[in-house]
Amino acid sequence: MIAQFKEGMNSCGNLWQIVEKNWKVFLPLFTNEEKQLTRDEFRALFTICWSEEGSNLREKEEDTIFCWELLLNSIQEKQSTITFQEMLVFITGADSIPPLGFPGEPRIEFYTQQNRRLPFASTCGMVLFLPRGIQEEEELTDLLNTALKGYLGFGKI
């Protein structure tokens, strides 16, 4: 099987020979290095889907994103029980960023909160839905903690 793999790789412009000569460059592609995500790496993954600028909805979304940024800082400083890896699994279903990146761009969208509805995610679409109008970091942290704890075991028997 290994010989077949090497032959197959070499059939594409002697790719295996290139990999052997430059193995350090290809290490992240062929191995899982279990690198911890940083705040900047995690933050850069997401596109924020804002409402129209100047609208009341946009103002509430900006409040929530301010709390989101504070939460990301708390996670980076290890002052939160939430980790970037847990958040990534909740939003994308993946426990690390794939070597070639995600097939699409993860996004943050908003919903109008009713009856303390929890944040939720679509792993298929890689979308995190956050409530508009959150004004305290602790409130967003509590909501996300509850949502993250509730998803554990999803899809497991």
Side-chain angles (χ1 to χ4, degrees), residues 85-91 93 123 144-156:
Q85 184 180 24
E86 288 174 325
M87 295 275 282
L88 191 65
V89 170
F90 180 69
I91 300 163
T123 56
L144 279 167
N145 254 326
T146 304
L148 288 170
K149 302 301 183 238
Y151 93 90
L152 291 176
F154 173 74
K156 295 182 181 178

Side-chain angles (χ1 to χ4, degrees), residues 48-51 55-72 108 110-111 113 130-141 143-144:
I48 300 173
C49 301
W50 300 102
S51 293
S55 68
N56 290 338
L57 292 178
R58 175 69 176 256
E59 190 175 309
K60 290 179 180 182
E61 292 165 359
E62 288 172 355
D63 290 341
T64 297
I65 289 300
F66 179 74
C67 294
W68 170 256
E69 292 291 340
L70 293 174
L71 174 60
L72 295 182
I108 295 175
F110 301 93
Y111 63 92
Q113 189 175 14
L130 294 175
R132 289 182 180 96
I134 300 295
Q135 297 191 3
E136 298 293 328
E137 177 191 357
E138 293 79 24
E139 183 181 1
L140 183 61
T141 301
L143 289 170
L144 279 167

Side-chain angles (χ1 to χ4, degrees), residues 39 43 46 52 62 70 131:
R39 175 192 172 277
R43 189 174 178 263
F46 296 92
E52 186 176 327
E62 288 172 355
L70 293 174

Side-chain angles (χ1 to χ4, degrees), residues 4 7 11 25 37-38 45 72 75 82 88 108 113 122:
Q4 286 179 327
E7 283 177 38
S11 71
V25 174
L37 277 173
T38 66
L45 290 174
L72 295 182
I75 294 170
I82 299 172
L88 191 65
I108 295 175
Q113 189 175 14
S122 167

